[in-house]
Amino acid sequence: MQHLLTEAQEMPTAALDYAQGVSEVRTPEHLVPLREVVRRQHRSELTALFAAVNERFGATEPVIGVFYAAGEMAVMAEVGRSDLEPQDRRLLRQLWAVLRHAQSGPDEETL
């Protein structure tokens, strides 16, 4: 899961803007058991990923929970990759991927 730590460290600043527009992040009901396994058995990986996010953006950032939720689901995708349906893997990685590829909009001064 080292790649997730690297991705967290390289997360663009524009991801903060995107995260501000996220009102809720939910784990699909059928994946809640996997979430519980990840929380129990992969706590150290989650802690390391959250620390990388904190290092990148600061733990006091108001939208930091969006990054934690996206990171948790990315870890779920890694842990369950051999057992998950492809669409579930994509769903679990979706928010993390969107945050990773967030781009700033046009500069208002140039409009």
Side-chain angles (χ1 to χ4, degrees):
M1 289 190 220
Q2 180 62 40
H3 68 283
L4 292 176
L5 297 176
T6 301
E7 290 172 1
Q9 294 163 348
E10 296 172 352
M11 193 80 62
T13 303
L16 290 171
D17 293 332
Y18 185 88
Q20 287 177 358
V22 176
S23 61
E24 184 176 46
V25 179
R26 286 187 183 218
T27 301
E29 195 63 37
H30 70 286
L31 296 174
V32 169
L34 175 59
R35 182 184 68 196
E36 296 308 316
V37 167
V38 165
R39 288 179 177 177
R40 279 193 319 273
Q41 297 177 9
H42 298 274
R43 171 61 52 198
S44 62
E45 289 94 338
L46 286 175
T47 300
L49 185 57
F50 296 168
V53 168
N54 289 345
E55 184 177 318
R56 174 65 183 96
F57 294 116
T60 59
E61 181 59 45
V63 295
I64 204 71
V66 172
F67 293 90
Y68 292 169
E72 181 177 65
M73 288 194 284
V75 171
M76 289 169 60
E78 292 293 318
V79 168
R81 72 182 164 273
S82 62
D83 298 321
L84 289 170
E85 295 293 326
Q87 65 269 21
D88 285 335
R89 283 194 307 274
R90 282 191 300 275
L91 179 65
L92 289 170
R93 287 283 303 187
Q94 183 177 9
L95 180 55
W96 186 257
V98 168
L99 292 169
R100 281 188 53 229
H101 299 294
Q103 297 181 2
S104 295
D107 185 4
E108 290 182 18
E109 294 179 10
T110 62
L111 296 178

